[in-house]
Every structure is written in C-alpha cells, then in structure tokens.
Amino acid sequence: MLSLEWTASQGWLSPRITPYQNLSLDPATCVFHYAFECFEGMKAYKDEKGTIRLFRPDKNMARLNKSSARIALPTFDSEPMTELISKFVSLEERFIPSQRGYSLYLRPTMIGTQRTLGVGPPGSALLYVIASPVGPYYPTGFKAVSLEATDYAVRAWPGGVGDKKLGANYAPCIVPQMQAASRGFHQNLWLFGEEEYVTEVGTMNLFAAIKDKETGQPELVTAPLDGTILEGVTRDSILELARERLTPKGWKISERKFTMRELADAADEGRMLEVFGSGTAAVVSPVRKISWRGRLVECGLEEGKEAGPIAQKMMDWIAGIQYGDEKHPWSVTI
C-alpha cells in the first residue's frame, strides 16, 4: 500500500510504500465520528504487449481533490500524486492480470486522523492507496438489469455533497437498495423532487437514448452536473466520445434535466431506444426495465438481447482505449 501522512503544521510528509497492513487509529479519531473520508475508484490495465496503462488518472485526482476540499481535508498536486500511484502500480505489476477484461482496481482513500471529539477541520490526515485484481463485471457478456424508481429516499440534493465521492454518501443508500432487491430489482433509480427528475442509478450515472417526439432525431441524454450527481469519469468519457463519434451521425448529445415521466412517455410512444448506467466497475450497465408508479417501463431492449447498440459501442470504444487498442491521450502508460 502507498501511504502519505499530512499535518497542518508540516504539510505532506514523505510517501511510503509498505506491505499491506492494518491501520492503528485512536478510538477518538475524527473519521469515525464525523465522516472525514473520501475516496476514488480507478484501474490499471495491461495491453497486449504487457505495458501498464491508467485510464484518465488526472480526472480521478481532480475529483479526489474536490471531494477532500469539500470536507476540510488537505488537497495535493495531481501530477506528482499520479506519479506516486504509477510507481506503486509498477511495484504491484504481478497482480495486474494480462487477460482482456481484467485489471487492477485502485482505491485511493483520504481520512481525517486527528484525535478529537471536537467538530472542526482535521489537523492531520492520511492518504493511502490499496489495490486488488478484478475480473470483468459481466464475465459471460452483458446482463441487463432492472431498476426500481425511488422517491421515498433521496440520494443527493442541490447544495449538498452528492457530487463528491464521500463515503458518507454510500451507507444511506444500502437500505433502499435492499428494499428494492426484496421486490426483485437490482438497483434504485434515484428520482428527485416533485418533478421526479432522473439523477443516478445505484452508484452509477445514467444515460437514456430516445427519439425526439417532433423530429425523430435520436438523443443521448444524461442528467447535468447540478450537484445531484457524481462527476463520473466514465460519464465524461461517454459524453466526449458521443459528441465526437455520434454527433456526425445525426445524434443530439444532451446534459439536461429529464423526468421519469419523459422516459415513460418515450417508452409508451415507441421512442425509447435504450437506457444504461455508466461507472468504473462495469463501464456500462444496460437497463431492461424500470418499475415506476406500479408499472414496468420497458427500456427499448429487444427480446433476447442484453444490450443496445449505443451501450455496446461505448463499451467497445472505452475498452479499446483502456487496453491500448486505440492510441488515445486518455490512456496513460507507466
């Protein structure tokens, strides 16, 4: 594991790469009492030649800085931190699987370590990075999921911290997820406000491909960065690729508010093309149906198919960059 300590008086101390080990923390450490904790999720890949690659690490470092700054934890220079993580990954090269679809998952984490029961900015912190080999999210190919539209619990709200990757955002979502699972659904689709705006699905961003009612133009839409959704690295990648590769084919690419009613109407009128989630773990996760107001909204997948063409394209395009098939500035070699 890679570890860096910080104190208010000395700043960042020398980094250390040590064997994986337990942390020793005082029971009064502020992370336990006031949730001074944020984290990131990223992966290291091996291409066909055995070269190690990171996917857009600058985005992860920028988001970790935003998260830490929001909860009064220290920030850092992104470039040197990426170099440290690269050295750590190089040392752990034997744990990066060579097979396509496999990778080394990296979990940078920052916690407040000051021993105090007083509420205030921590005077000390620890940033550490641990890793684990992971296999493909869908080992036998895509498997579309079903969602339960959720309005009785709220994941995030304007002015809150739902757009930051804080541990405190995740624990409150588990009970609604368990309740959805008890009714036969894989995840929650988080709705917000009386308008029932679509925000996220589980711990992923959400995309919908629909046809315009008046013109028939296909539109790929996702919720805007208004504070109610996480600034997903995969989300941003899909948007950039879509604008570059789908716009010339007549697609409209939108970051805008849209409601569950809009999705249901598109489904009822035959204008729904597909829906999918996006995130680091799965890249894309196709959605088959959404339970909403006592009915099932079908999300455009053909019978017997587990993914729509846009989800498949995004999976292929992003994996091609991650594994070095396509030369691209997002793929950083170590």
Side-chain angles (χ1 to χ4, degrees), residues 1 6 44 48 63 149 176 211 214 230 234 253 274 280 316:
M1 58 193 293
W6 174 91
E48 288 183 344
R63 189 170 63 183
K211 286 184 179 179
E214 304 299 328
L230 189 67
T234 308
I253 313 302
E274 59 183 289
T280 299
D316 294 342

Side-chain angles (χ1 to χ4, degrees), residues 258-325:
F258 62 104
T259 65
M260 190 60 220
R261 168 60 66 188
E262 183 178 347
L263 291 187
D265 287 349
D268 292 343
E269 296 164 8
R271 297 183 291 107
M272 174 73 79
L273 299 175
E274 59 183 289
V275 176
F276 58 89
S278 69
T280 299
V283 183
V284 294
S285 180
V287 177
R288 183 170 299 281
K289 57 189 176 182
I290 302 169
S291 173
W292 176 64
R293 294 192 177 185
R295 58 167 291 192
L296 290 176
V297 176
E298 296 293 335
C299 294
L301 283 185
E302 295 178 25
E303 192 69 33
K305 289 197 174 181
E306 298 295 334
I310 301 303
Q312 186 65 63
K313 276 184 171 69
M314 291 301 170
M315 185 69 170
D316 294 342
W317 288 342
I318 291 175
I321 295 170
Q322 290 171 337
Y323 288 93
D325 301 344

Side-chain angles (χ1 to χ4, degrees), residues 174-204:
I174 300 303
V175 169
Q177 182 183 335
M178 292 168 62
Q179 292 173 350
S182 72
R183 292 184 282 269
F185 299 96
H186 296 93
Q187 272 292 359
N188 307 88
L189 175 61
W190 300 104
L191 305 181
F192 181 76
E194 292 181 3
E195 302 87 351
E196 296 187 303
Y197 289 120
V198 173
T199 61
E200 291 195 348
V201 49
T203 58
M204 305 178 82

Side-chain angles (χ1 to χ4, degrees), residues 224-242:
L225 298 178
D226 62 355
T228 61
I229 69 166
L230 189 67
E231 298 180 23
V233 176
T234 308
R235 171 191 179 277
D236 184 77
S237 303
I238 288 172
L239 284 170
E240 289 201 33
L241 289 171

Side-chain angles (χ1 to χ4, degrees), residues 71-117:
I71 55 173
L73 288 175
T75 58
F76 52 85
D77 292 335
S78 292
E79 202 168 313
M81 186 61 67
T82 301
E83 291 175 8
L84 282 174
I85 291 175
S86 297
K87 288 182 179 179
F88 169 65
V89 169
S90 295
L91 284 174
E92 302 290 57
E93 179 181 358
R94 67 191 185 282
F95 292 112
I96 309 175
S98 298
Q99 304 99 305
R100 182 70 169 233
Y102 291 75
S103 56
L104 183 69
Y105 182 78
L106 303 170
R107 173 55 65 89
T109 305
M110 196 185 308
I111 61 173
T113 55
Q114 184 172 346
R115 295 172 291 177
T116 178
L117 295 182

